[in-house]
Amino acid sequence: MAEFDFDAVVVGAGAVGLAIGYALGRRGLAVAVLEREKAIGQGVSSRNSEVIHGGLYYPTGSLKARLCVEGRRLLYPFLEAHHVAHDRCGKLVVATSPEEVARLDDILEQARVNDVEGMARLSKAEAQALEPELACEAALISPESGVFDSHGYMLALQGEIEACVGAVVLSTPFEGATPFAGGGFEVRAGGQDPATLACRYLVTAPGLSAQGVAARIDGFPPTRIPPVHYGKGRYFRLTGKAPFARLIYPPPIHGALGTHYRRDLGGQAVFGPDLIYVDALDYSVDPAAAAGFYKYIRKFWPGLPDGALAPDYAGIRPKLHGPDEPQPDFRIDGPEAHGIDGLVALFGIESPGLTSSLAIGEETAARLGL
Ligand SMILES: Cc1cc2nc3c(=O)[nH]c(=O)nc-3n(C[C@H](O)[C@H](O)[C@H](O)COP(=O)(O)OP(=O)(O)OC[C@H]3O[C@@H](n4cnc5c(N)ncnc54)[C@H](O)[C@@H]3O)c2cc1C
């Protein structure tokens, strides 16, 4: 039997890899989280909406439905205990046409099946009493939705891992792994001081690089590596006073929750993300895209002044489906999927990955039998 340098190696120090490191550390394992960048949280986890999702929409029985609700229930107490800024501001799902009113009933029913707390139907007058600048036919309220400081959250996770005798090792790319015959892995790490580590468990949570990382694990069946698609989402910022206190979401579009409104923790209004499929990791925001944003936003906020939107930032979703394909679930693949004991490989951790992260950590530990 090999002697192990660490009980577990986790690839990727985004919100999900760090939450997995935390879950394993809490079980008494010595964990090394390998991150190729100079700092934690520089990937998908730094380019998103920072919304704590209620868990309304996800299909019955999916990992997204279960882990979003479980993750949210774990996340608020974690943020409170670690003094990470957050605002349980609530969210309105708004119907701006008679056709969308019928969709609210479906969303409310799915939220009930998903065990989301506190959901209620609001008339136009009730919604406008809460948010006077809102235009809508009817709405749903989700009081458990909120916003948070995702970077503060990741720093808190790093602190917890280090307090549990683990290490977050920066500037250290994972370059490959070979399973030992008797169990465990030899892991090859690059960077300035390339090293080889032996560990009992290996977990890959490298976001947009999930497919490339899995391909560098000897024995990982190529047929079990899903295709990768990049789903870019762009944001525009309002130059002016934030019009609403709550999150405002029209019903979801195919493949994403759609462009929504949030007031960030600094009090500024942000709109986005849209969804466009791209071939490269290009984070630019074309100012010309503003025209579509004005049209869309004015359906629920007719008071949006001309010239008030400024290009802000973009994020890229690690999608497993193309534009016309059904949206698949998270993939948290254990040995039953790829045949390698002691390995969990994550794919397609797009939204609601941040909200779900603590529950993904627990689920990953369970898949390892821990
Ligand atoms: C536009 C957009 C909006 C979103 N909004 C929300 C939201 O409001 N709420 C929500 O819950 N979710 C949201 N999400 C989803 C959420 O952001 C992601 O699910 C989550 O951040 C994924 O975290 P991660 O740790 O898996 O990936 P990442 O944060 O990308 O972390 C992966 C890490 O692995 C590292 N890495 C890659 N390759 C290697 C290697 N070979 N060796 C070492 N390290 C490596 C990367 O550098 C990176 O730091 C959104 C996503 C997008 C794109």
Side-chain angles (χ1 to χ4, degrees):
M1 173 63 82
E3 284 214 2
F4 297 123
D5 301 299
F6 288 92
D7 295 313
V9 166
V10 179
V11 180
V16 173
L18 290 167
I20 293 167
Y22 171 56
L24 300 180
R26 284 187 347 140
R27 286 163 172 77
L29 273 66
V31 182
V33 182
L34 305 186
E35 170 54 54
R36 71 177 172 197
E37 302 294 340
K38 288 193 209 113
I40 63 168
Q42 301 299 296
V44 188
S45 301
S46 67
R47 294 173 166 276
N48 54 67
S49 302
E50 298 192 300
V51 168
I52 301 173
H53 286 298
L56 286 52
Y57 314 97
Y58 309 107
T60 308
S62 64
L63 287 172
K64 285 182 181 175
R66 177 166 63 82
L67 299 179
C68 184
V69 171
E70 287 177 9
R72 167 172 55 74
R73 289 179 185 155
L74 294 170
L75 187 55
Y76 279 118
F78 182 95
L79 299 176
E80 272 151 32
H82 293 81
H83 308 289
V84 177
H86 62 284
D87 179 9
R88 201 186 303 223
C89 55
K91 152 168 133 172
L92 296 180
V93 184
V94 297
T96 58
S97 66
E99 304 77 64
E100 285 183 350
V101 173
R103 292 188 66 196
L104 294 186
D105 292 329
D106 297 340
I107 296 169
L108 188 59
E109 174 55 15
Q110 191 63 51
R112 190 193 61 73
V113 172
N114 291 357
D115 200 22
V116 179
E117 309 86 334
M119 295 290 302
R121 182 79 189 248
L122 302 181
S123 67
K124 175 178 179 169
E126 287 168 330
Q128 288 174 336
L130 293 176
E131 297 289 0
E133 294 213 37
L134 185 66
C136 69
E137 300 287 328
L140 301 176
I141 186 159
S142 163
E144 290 299 317
S145 303
V147 292
F148 76 123
D149 168 10
S150 58
H151 202 74
Y153 166 59
M154 289 188 277
L155 284 171
L157 288 170
Q158 179 179 8
E160 287 286 355
I161 292 166
E162 289 169 353
C164 295
V165 303
V168 177
V169 194
L170 302 173
S171 303
T172 303
F174 168 90
E175 295 198 332
T178 305
F180 293 125
F185 300 85
E186 178 193 85
V187 172
R188 295 175 292 283
Q192 273 208 319
D193 299 306
T196 299
L197 307 172
C199 61
R200 173 75 189 86
Y201 303 107
L202 176 63
V203 180
T204 60
L208 290 159
S209 304
Q211 284 79 354
V213 163
R216 287 195 217 126
I217 299 169
D218 293 338
F220 201 107
T223 53
R224 303 302 303 176
I225 300 178
V228 61
H229 298 274
Y230 297 146
K232 180 171 174 176
R234 301 171 292 189
Y235 293 85
F236 281 78
R237 188 165 287 269
L238 182 74
T239 51
K241 191 169 168 293
F244 309 110
R246 293 164 187 77
L247 295 155
I248 309 289
Y249 277 65
I253 58 172
H254 177 69
L257 295 187
T259 295
H260 57 262
Y261 161 90
R262 81 176 190 277
R263 187 175 67 178
D264 70 15
L265 292 169
Q268 279 208 291
V270 185
F271 297 92
D274 60 354
L275 172 59
I276 48 172
Y277 278 79
V278 293
D279 296 325
L281 299 181
D282 161 21
Y283 294 102
S284 62
V285 179
D286 179 359
F293 275 70
Y294 280 105
K295 195 165 168 226
Y296 190 84
I297 295 162
R298 282 179 174 146
K299 287 194 215 166
F300 63 85
W301 184 34
L304 170 62
D306 282 337
L309 294 180
D312 201 0
Y313 64 99
I316 296 189
R317 305 165 177 91
K319 284 193 161 292
L320 301 181
H321 67 111
D324 302 319
E325 294 164 352
Q327 189 172 14
D329 204 0
F330 291 151
R331 291 251 314 252
I332 303 176
D333 287 1
E336 73 294 340
H338 48 63
I340 303 176
D341 278 341
L343 172 68
V344 173
L346 281 71
F347 299 99
I349 310 297
E350 53 166 323
S351 191
L354 269 187
T355 309
S356 309
S357 50
L358 289 172
I360 293 175
E362 294 299 311
E363 180 72 15
T364 301
R367 303 266 172 128
L368 291 170
L370 298 166

